[in-house]
Amino acid sequence: GALGQDGQITYCSDISAPPLTFYDAAQTPVGAEIELGNALAAELGVRANWANTSFNGIIPALQARQCDAIMSQLYIKPEREAVVDFVPYMYASNTLVVASGNTAINGVDDLCGTKAAGQTGTTVIGYLTDQSAKCTAAGRPAVDIRQFTKDSDALQQLRLGLVDCYGTTLETAAYVLGQQPGAFRLAGEPFNRIKVGIATRKDA
């Protein structure tokens, strides 16, 4: 394939989701996925180049040849498998994060009538949308879903008290809880346990 043909491999990644992908103080991409991508590039004998790409447009960016592969906690789902090839490398789950003083939300069933933030194009937004439909079908208020381009912006909404909960991956949630001990808690059990993979074009 075309991977690494010009001495480098370019990864599309939404570099806003610590501990997997984020920028350090020197604006260098760091994190577990960055390390994995760099190690794979070294294995191929090429240099890793990271293209910071909004998650919502990450598959179109790959298809438009703006990168060689996606490494951005991309869940392997049938609709995505129809358009890209995947190499699985880890499991991930989604979870809900609330302020530690919030005793009203203890899982997705408690979301009717609340404000929930998440990153545009992510699996958790689809899940919140389904949950909202269940609320309205049961004659309860919908979930007010606020979508943001960056995962970190969705977290900021919770931090500022503008939303009741923030949906993200378990890995990012664990990092957030560790960064600000006592500020937040997970609401209920993680859900959507699913494989994550590196995505490449089907013609690569």
Side-chain angles (χ1 to χ4, degrees):
L3 289 189
Q5 63 184 4
D6 54 357
Q8 66 171 18
I9 179 170
T10 299
Y11 295 105
C12 280
S13 185
D14 179 13
I15 306 177
S16 76
L20 299 176
T21 59
F22 59 110
Y23 285 104
D24 66 11
Q27 290 304 297
T28 304
V30 292
E33 286 186 321
I34 305 285
E35 287 167 25
L36 180 58
N38 289 346
L40 279 173
E43 201 63 26
L44 294 167
V46 295
R47 195 169 53 79
N49 179 36
W50 293 89
N52 192 9
T53 311
S54 153
F55 190 82
N56 202 32
I58 212 158
I59 289 177
L62 175 68
Q63 291 169 321
R65 302 182 179 272
Q66 288 165 22
C67 54
D68 304 301
I70 297 168
M71 186 172 284
S72 196
Q73 210 166 7
L74 193 64
Y75 283 18
I76 300 173
K77 300 198 286 194
E79 62 270 28
R80 289 174 179 165
E81 286 183 294
V83 289
V84 295
D85 288 335
F86 279 104
V87 180
Y89 59 90
M90 65 181 259
Y91 272 100
S93 309
N94 283 138
T95 192
L96 299 174
V97 181
V98 297
S100 51
N102 180 335
T103 53
I105 300 176
N106 294 296
V108 285
D109 295 334
D110 299 329
L111 292 180
C112 302
T114 67
K115 297 184 187 79
Q119 185 180 18
T120 308
T122 58
T123 302
V124 80
I125 291 289
Y127 193 83
L128 290 170
T129 304
D130 292 346
Q131 191 59 35
S132 186
K134 285 182 193 162
C135 293
T136 53
R140 298 173 69 194
V143 182
D144 179 357
I145 303 165
R146 312 282 177 90
Q147 301 189 43
F148 299 89
T149 319
K150 291 190 174 128
D151 190 78
S152 45
D153 290 348
L155 166 62
Q156 186 66 1
Q157 294 287 303
L158 178 64
R159 215 176 247 144
L160 296 172
L162 299 174
V163 295
D164 302 300
C165 80
Y166 149 66
T168 188
T169 63
L170 186 58
E171 295 70 30
T172 295
Y175 180 84
V176 166
L177 266 60
Q179 290 293 101
Q180 284 187 273
F184 305 109
R185 67 177 182 86
L186 300 185
E189 291 296 309
F191 49 92
N192 283 348
R193 186 171 188 268
I194 197 166
K195 273 185 180 162
V196 170
I198 301 173
T200 54
R201 281 187 301 277
K202 289 198 174 282
D203 60 9

